[in-house]
Structure formats: structure tokens, C-alpha cells
Amino acid sequence: PPDVGWSPFCSKEISVLCVDIGGLSKIGPSKSNGGRFMQINTGLVVVPIERDGERVGDLKFRPTDGAFARRYMAMLSNIDEKQKEFIESAKEIDDDKSTGPCGVPNKDVRAIELMESAADFMCGEIDNVFGAGTSAMAFGGVRSTSAILQFLSGINDYFVAARAAKMAQYAPKR
């Protein structure tokens, strides 16, 4: 166990948290800022968002925050579960041989509706994790699963790197 503030009441899974909290007893007043204010680094990451060559805003999040991590992981799980439903619907749509007005195959119309439904679902999940309006800022109202997957892939890189760096602080030195 770590020797800074470690408690035998902490399980192995939350020992990182106990080290963080237990380390408070070793912290004294900081002289670096002359006592005027306290500086706290919450791990905020600011990612500029560029859509189609135009800067449209900044995405701000804290990948090392437990509440954020929980929402992020829940989003990925929710999207994975919903994807199974979308795949089943797509198979059903593929079997549709009927046509609508002007001879347009109904399966084409239904496929577009399914894609829009998937995009709406994922945008809702993104807004739940990153805050209302995030998907509108990032995608500009475009309902593109391709754009959404680009967003999720990009965010995942930040999330994985930040979480790995945080955990590395507590890894045993070899």
C-alpha cells in the first residue's frame, strides 16, 4: 500500500482515491502565490472543434473526473446496446421490397429514417455527457453518423490518455 495517507479501510479498487484524499494531511500552506489565492487544477481539457474547416467552438471536459468517466462509459454502453437494435432494424429494412410514391423503394426511405434516428440517439447521448448543445455546436445540426463517429473517436483518444496519465501517478515504480 502507498505510505501517504493509505487506509486499511480502502479496497484495492479505490486505493487511488484514498491516496488522493489521504495525501491532504501532508499538504501545507503554499507560499508560491503569496497567499492571495488558491490554484486548483481539475484536469480540464479544452479541445477546439473545427467543422468543415471552420472553428465552431471549444469542447471542455474533465476526463479524470469520476462523474464524467461514469457518464462517458455509460454513453458508450448505451450506444453499443442501441446499435444492436439498429442492426436488427436494418436487416428488416433490407427485406422490404415494396415501393412508395414515384416508385421509390420504401427500404431507402426507411434506411434514411433509421440513420436519422441513430444520429439523434447518439447526439442525445453526447449532450448528456458533455452538456446540452454540444452536438449542435459540433455537428451544426447535421445528422451524420460518420461525423458523430469522428467525434467519439477523437474524444476517446483524450479520455484514454488522460485516464492513463492519472493512473500512472499511482502505479508501482519498477
Side-chain angles (χ1 to χ4, degrees):
D3 44 334
V4 179
W6 184 81
S7 165
F9 300 107
C10 295
S11 70
K12 186 175 184 179
E13 291 78 26
I14 63 168
S15 63
V16 169
L17 175 63
C18 293
V19 169
D20 279 348
I21 295 170
L24 291 175
S25 63
K26 306 253 189 242
I27 296 175
S30 172
K31 307 282 189 236
S32 65
N33 63 20
R36 292 182 309 241
F37 57 88
M38 182 185 314
Q39 293 179 334
I40 299 173
N41 180 353
T42 62
L44 179 68
V45 173
V46 179
V47 180
I49 301 293
E50 186 177 288
R51 179 181 4 98
D52 299 327
E54 179 184 341
R55 172 103 183 255
V56 295
D58 292 327
L59 181 64
K60 298 177 181 181
F61 61 101
R62 291 173 176 81
T64 57
D65 173 49
F68 172 82
R70 184 177 55 254
R71 289 190 316 271
Y72 179 80
M73 298 306 287
M75 173 189 70
L76 294 179
S77 178
N78 293 344
I79 288 173
D80 188 54
E81 280 300 309
K82 198 69 166 177
Q83 182 179 7
K84 293 172 187 169
E85 292 177 32
F86 290 133
I87 289 170
E88 287 304 312
S89 294
K91 288 177 184 174
E92 180 183 308
I93 289 170
D94 260 355
D95 293 339
D96 188 348
K97 305 296 182 212
S98 64
T99 57
C102 302
V104 174
N106 281 333
K107 72 178 187 178
D108 292 349
V109 174
R110 291 178 62 201
I112 291 169
E113 290 170 349
L114 180 62
M115 186 216 49
E116 288 179 328
S117 178
D120 290 345
F121 175 79
M122 289 189 281
C123 284
E125 290 292 310
I126 289 168
D127 285 350
N128 183 50
V129 173
F130 295 97
T134 299
S135 59
M137 180 265 300
F139 311 119
V142 173
R143 296 160 102 183
S144 165
T145 54
S146 174
I148 293 167
L149 294 176
Q150 290 171 48
F151 175 92
L152 294 174
S153 177
I155 291 304
N156 196 56
D157 294 343
Y158 286 95
F159 180 75
V160 169
R163 299 296 296 174
K166 181 72 175 169
M167 295 308 291
Q169 295 175 6
Y170 305 104
K173 299 194 182 341
R174 296 177 191 205

